[in-house]
Amino acid sequence: LLYKGTDSILYVYGRIKADDFVSYRAITFWTSCDDNATEIASSIFSGEDEEPRVHLDPDQETVRQCSLLHDVDRDFCDDLETIDNKENAGAVVIHQNEMS
């Protein structure tokens, strides 16, 4: 689930199958799934009240993660505002840990 807030702020929520529980998995956005795709600019909020939240579900197999990103590329944000349900604006990469 992706929600665009004001300006270039995105709220990202997802449920991830987790073989090994990690505290947080980095999320990046890319122009496509192609080999020549480029990363779309964004930054994760940090600070006591803004850290990403991760919760291991009772099934012990899935994790729910909430993240708040800022300085997201303006063109990408504009695409998200006008996207139709059969289109795509890019690709989401969920990394193995908080760094890569």
Side-chain angles (χ1 to χ4, degrees):
L1 173 67
L2 184 66
Y3 173 75
K4 184 194 167 297
T6 58
D7 296 323
S8 57
I9 296 176
L10 294 180
Y11 168 78
V12 182
Y13 170 83
R15 188 171 176 202
I16 306 164
K17 179 144 175 67
D19 295 329
D20 296 318
F21 179 72
V22 293
S23 60
Y24 166 71
R25 291 183 183 209
I27 296 173
T28 55
F29 300 98
W30 293 76
T31 54
S32 71
C33 292
D34 298 332
D35 290 341
N36 63 347
T38 57
E39 187 172 354
I40 296 170
S42 67
S43 299
I44 188 87
F45 274 100
S46 61
E48 186 175 323
D49 294 331
E50 299 166 337
E51 290 294 321
R53 305 281 194 253
V54 180
H55 174 75
L56 181 63
D57 284 336
D59 65 12
Q60 301 290 307
E61 294 181 10
T62 53
V63 174
R64 294 172 193 257
Q65 177 173 307
C66 297
S67 306
L68 190 60
L69 298 131
H70 65 94
D71 296 331
V72 181
D73 178 81
R74 169 65 63 202
D75 291 335
F76 181 60
C77 288
D78 290 346
D79 288 347
L80 290 175
E81 286 184 350
T82 60
I83 196 168
D84 184 37
N85 66 353
K86 294 181 183 175
E87 297 175 330
N88 68 67
V92 177
V93 175
I94 302 170
H95 298 269
Q96 291 295 318
N97 56 49
E98 63 185 56
M99 300 301 288
S100 61

